[in-house]
Amino acid sequence: MAAAFQVFREEEDIGKRLKTSKKRIFWRFGFMSEPEQKHEVILVHSLMSGKKNVFLNGTKVHSSQSMKPSFTFQFRVKDSMLTLGASESEPYFLRVDGVSFRDLQYYSPESSSQSSLTDAQRIEAERKHAHQAMNDLDEDLELALRLQEEEHAEMERHSQALSEDERMARELQIQFDKEHEEHEQYLRKSGVDTSTLRRPTRASMPSQPPP
């Protein structure tokens, strides 16, 4: 279990109509054993519906829906356990192997391209990276939503086609029953005992009474 270090955290209000109705929180961190490799966790939380989606390095690892203000999820990256959640005392927290993200040390190797940047420049560079990562995620989610909507529309069209077939079948059955009744009435008028007759099929029943 390697020690972790923090890189960047940002919280955004992203609601479409009411900005504060939806939150998106971004964490970026790494491990001392592989300092050049960074990991990204994104939580998208709708305060209106209670829906929560968690992404690790661009892949969804959790989805749930609950209006409870406190929640906790756990998932793994490499050999470390990540705990993401919210509580009254610590809103939107991320822990790496039990250590809060805010308590992780910041680490930048000498060979890093950011080693010569000021803190303000480094933070701005990380903010741009975070925004790009979240924009990429938004595009993936929009594509997935569009595909889901297209699939739903296709299923709706299929359902409507089935409903139309069922409607036509009912109309044909009603017409068939009507023709059968008319046929039996004609036979009774002709003196034929219809009680012993089997119900004819549509194919065998004449469309018009015989002259």
Side-chain angles (χ1 to χ4, degrees):
M1 184 174 62
F5 61 89
Q6 65 168 287
V7 178
F8 186 72
R9 180 192 186 279
E10 182 162 275
E11 182 174 328
E12 281 188 308
D13 294 325
I14 61 170
K16 289 185 177 181
R17 295 184 179 179
L18 180 62
K19 280 289 186 181
T20 56
S21 67
K22 196 172 188 179
K23 300 283 188 180
R24 181 168 58 191
I25 303 89
F26 175 92
W27 293 269
R28 193 168 188 234
F29 63 97
F31 295 100
M32 294 296 187
S33 58
E34 297 176 306
E36 296 300 325
Q37 183 178 4
K38 307 300 189 298
H39 301 279
E40 297 164 356
V41 173
I42 298 175
L43 166 66
V44 180
H45 180 200
S46 171
L47 303 181
M48 300 295 290
S49 67
K51 189 172 184 179
K52 306 168 190 67
N53 288 315
V54 181
F55 301 85
L56 171 63
N57 297 330
T59 300
K60 184 186 290 188
V61 294
H62 180 85
S63 181
S64 63
Q65 189 167 358
S66 172
M67 295 302 295
K68 293 181 179 180
S70 299
F71 57 88
T72 302
F73 316 127
Q74 287 190 321
F75 48 100
R76 302 192 72 86
V77 56
K78 294 187 177 295
D79 295 328
S80 293
M81 178 65 72
L82 304 183
T83 304
L84 185 153
S87 65
E88 293 183 1
S89 60
E90 192 176 6
Y92 299 124
F93 61 81
L94 178 70
R95 300 189 184 111
V96 184
D97 293 323
V99 180
S100 176
F101 181 89
R102 65 188 179 186
D103 293 332
L104 297 176
Q105 63 175 309
Y106 174 77
Y107 173 73
S108 181
E110 294 297 327
S111 60
S112 170
S113 60
Q114 291 191 349
S115 59
S116 61
L117 300 179
T118 64
D119 286 344
Q121 290 172 326
R122 178 184 59 78
I123 291 173
E124 181 60 26
E126 288 296 342
R127 180 172 286 110
K128 288 181 178 179
H129 175 86
H131 287 175
Q132 183 60 52
M134 289 187 285
N135 287 336
D136 291 344
L137 180 61
D138 285 343
E139 291 177 1
D140 291 342
L141 290 176
E142 287 177 4
L143 176 59
L145 180 60
R146 189 161 60 251
L147 291 174
Q148 186 178 23
E149 290 175 347
E150 290 176 358
E151 182 180 359
H152 178 74
E154 179 63 28
M155 292 177 64
E156 184 66 22
R157 287 192 294 269
H158 181 65
S159 177
Q160 290 176 355
L162 289 177
S163 297
E164 181 65 16
D165 290 344
E166 291 174 355
R167 184 188 65 80
M168 292 179 63
R170 285 196 299 269
E171 290 180 354
L172 288 172
Q173 183 63 47
I174 291 172
Q175 180 64 24
F176 175 74
D177 291 341
K178 181 180 179 181
E179 292 175 356
H180 173 63
E181 182 62 27
E182 290 175 351
H183 183 65
E184 284 194 341
Q185 288 177 2
Y186 172 79
L187 292 176
R188 283 195 293 270
K189 287 180 181 180
S190 301
V192 178
D193 183 7
T194 59
S195 62
T196 59
L197 296 178
R198 291 188 306 170
R199 184 184 181 90
T201 63
R202 186 173 178 80
S204 65
M205 189 182 70
S207 58
Q208 297 292 336

